[in-house]
Amino acid sequence: MSTSDSAGPRAHDEPGGTPQGRDGDGPAARRDRAVRAAVEQGLITDASPVAGLLDITGIRSATASLRTAFDEVTAPGTPVLHAFAVKAASLVPVLRLLADEGLGCEVASPGELALARAAGLPASRTVLDSPAKTDAELREALDLGIALNADNWEELARLDALAAAGPETLPPLGLRINPQIGGGAIDALSTATATSKFGVPLHDDGPDGGTPEEVRARVVRAFLDRPWLTRVHVHAGSQGMEPAAMAAGTRAAYELAEEINAAAGRRQVDTLDIGGGLPVDFGSDTPPDFAGYARLLAAGVPGLLDGRYGLVTEFGRSLLAKNGLVLARVEYAKSAGGRPIAVTHAGAQLATRTVFAPQSWPLRVRAYDAKGLPKSGPSVAQDVAGPCCFAGDLVAEDRPLPLLAAGDLTALLDTGAYYFSNHFAYNSLPRPAVYGFTDDPSAPGGVRFALARPQQTVEEIVAESGGAQRDALTGGLRRD
């Protein structure tokens, strides 16, 4: 499994056709059928020149791989909740699909909690994590019976008051720790560095000059003083993080739980939430290796999986990224400085991370003709640009592809996670429609689509931009 995104963009291209040696019924073949059918069924039009596509078969396969991987290493009867990180694909139909596959939801805001509830997720399969929960959010979680993990000492103090005045039966409550094991290849995503904003650091000197040993003792005492604190939470993983480092973070959480339980003389900590963050290889169709990661945990932290602890995971990108693509029409083909430029309708408004941090988030671009067929022809180095009005809005630069022309299509691969939920409203461009697809011989082109989210309308853009308050700053304020 590749854990690095540092390879140059040229290493990520597939100019045309299904790669040799690849299963004809595998992800690449399903993708090609879906693109062709999307054109045939009119999903890409002048009014809708960009759309998101989600491979339902691939999503179901990924969730099955995750469940099987942990089933094979955990003791029979071990309670395991795989809670999908909603931020990775904040679409109610996606959450409902994952719930149908046995997954729960990890939420980090009132909005994400509302989405999970709209998808029908019960409180028992929902976990709340956030470094900035308000009193209202904490109280709502307690009232609804939703498990939550406190991020810091001040939040833990708030929980003291709320728990004393709250419901008679409290939901599972935990404390997030930062094992401070170091970062990965992408600094902005590294959650377990010495100065990370997340969790209670385990190896810091105390704020009043205490030693790291005294700080750790304070963490243990926090649990002993709060019998209702029954979980330890760690999230050391992220894109660009080595799985071995993730396992080291999990081991730190396990060792802390063992220390707490020994001090308590009972099994106070009964569940470890080990987070997610398994990296995705954006340079190939190779899916994340859940089985390999589970075996790594079994070898490095065997006590975690022997049945004494319940387990919560919070995978997101690794479940969805490989199972989605952004399909966009080439509106114009031009040239500048001797380099061809294909101007498309998918840029920074969707591929925000790719545009602003291309070395960390390179995407493979696949070229299709106007009929949705893989485009052939010699590779020509060219730029693939988006529609945003700034010069750097490029999803690929100097990329070898069959020469793109107006009316052709580009597919940005591996965009099933984050690219449909982290929309950037630059130029007030609309959020595109997102469709799930499955093979169906009775449907046109052999593929059936289901609308997961409609394209945002111009009227909706105006409404969310204060259209109903047009005169608020003129008619309602006195001039000096």
Side-chain angles (χ1 to χ4, degrees), residues 55 58-67 82-85 88 98 103-104 278 280 288 290 313-324 416-417:
D55 181 354
I59 293 173
R60 291 189 187 277
S61 176
T63 58
S65 295
L66 171 61
R67 293 195 312 269
H82 297 296
F84 175 74
L98 295 172
L103 272 61
L278 189 65
V280 170
F290 292 112
T313 72
E314 299 174 355
F315 295 103
R317 177 185 297 106
S318 52
L319 286 166
L320 266 291
K322 289 292 175 187
N323 299 305

Side-chain angles (χ1 to χ4, degrees), residues 138 142 153-166 170 173 222 225-226 228-229:
L138 294 170
L142 295 181
W153 293 117
E154 291 186 358
E155 184 179 347
L156 199 56
R158 291 189 188 186
L159 278 177
D160 286 337
L162 292 171
L170 293 172
L173 302 175
D225 291 344
R226 298 168 176 82
W228 42 263
L229 202 56

Side-chain angles (χ1 to χ4, degrees), residues 148-369:
L148 69 88
N149 295 304
D151 178 81
N152 54 71
W153 293 117
E154 291 186 358
E155 184 179 347
L156 199 56
R158 291 189 188 186
L159 278 177
D160 286 337
L162 292 171
E168 183 175 341
T169 302
L170 293 172
L173 302 175
L175 179 66
R176 179 169 182 169
I177 57 104
N178 174 9
Q180 295 178 294
I181 58 172
I186 305 175
D187 289 342
L189 292 191
S190 298
T191 60
T193 62
T195 57
S196 171
K197 73 176 188 178
F198 294 106
V200 174
L202 283 188
H203 302 294
D204 270 6
D205 290 336
D208 301 317
T211 66
E213 291 76 17
E214 289 170 334
V215 172
R216 187 180 184 92
R218 182 185 178 191
V219 174
V220 174
R221 174 50 57 185
F223 277 82
L224 300 183
D225 291 344
R226 298 168 176 82
W228 42 263
L229 202 56
T230 61
R231 293 185 171 187
V232 174
H233 176 219
V234 66
H235 183 98
S238 67
Q239 186 64 25
M241 196 73 171
E242 292 290 339
M246 295 169 57
T250 297
R251 183 170 185 82
Y254 165 76
E255 290 173 346
L256 177 64
E258 291 282 275
E259 185 176 343
I260 293 167
N261 288 346
R266 63 186 180 88
R267 193 169 66 97
Q268 176 173 338
V269 176
D270 58 22
T271 300
L272 277 82
D273 183 335
I274 64 172
L278 189 65
V280 170
D281 177 7
F282 285 95
S284 75
D285 278 331
T286 304
D289 186 6
F290 292 112
Y293 181 55
R295 290 192 297 270
L296 191 64
L297 290 175
V301 202
L304 172 71
L305 307 170
D306 63 10
R308 291 179 297 125
Y309 292 99
L311 196 63
V312 177
T313 72
E314 299 174 355
F315 295 103
R317 177 185 297 106
S318 52
L319 286 166
L320 266 291
K322 289 292 175 187
N323 299 305
L325 62 92
V326 173
L327 186 62
R329 191 177 68 188
V330 177
E331 195 64 39
Y332 297 107
K334 57 191 294 187
S335 178
R339 183 186 297 172
I341 304 171
V343 181
T344 80
H345 290 273
Q349 88 278 25
L350 294 172
T352 312
R353 286 173 168 174
T354 296
V355 169
F356 288 107
Q359 295 306 311
S360 295
W361 301 99
L363 288 177
R364 293 177 294 155
V365 179
R366 191 127 158 85
Y368 294 86
D369 65 20

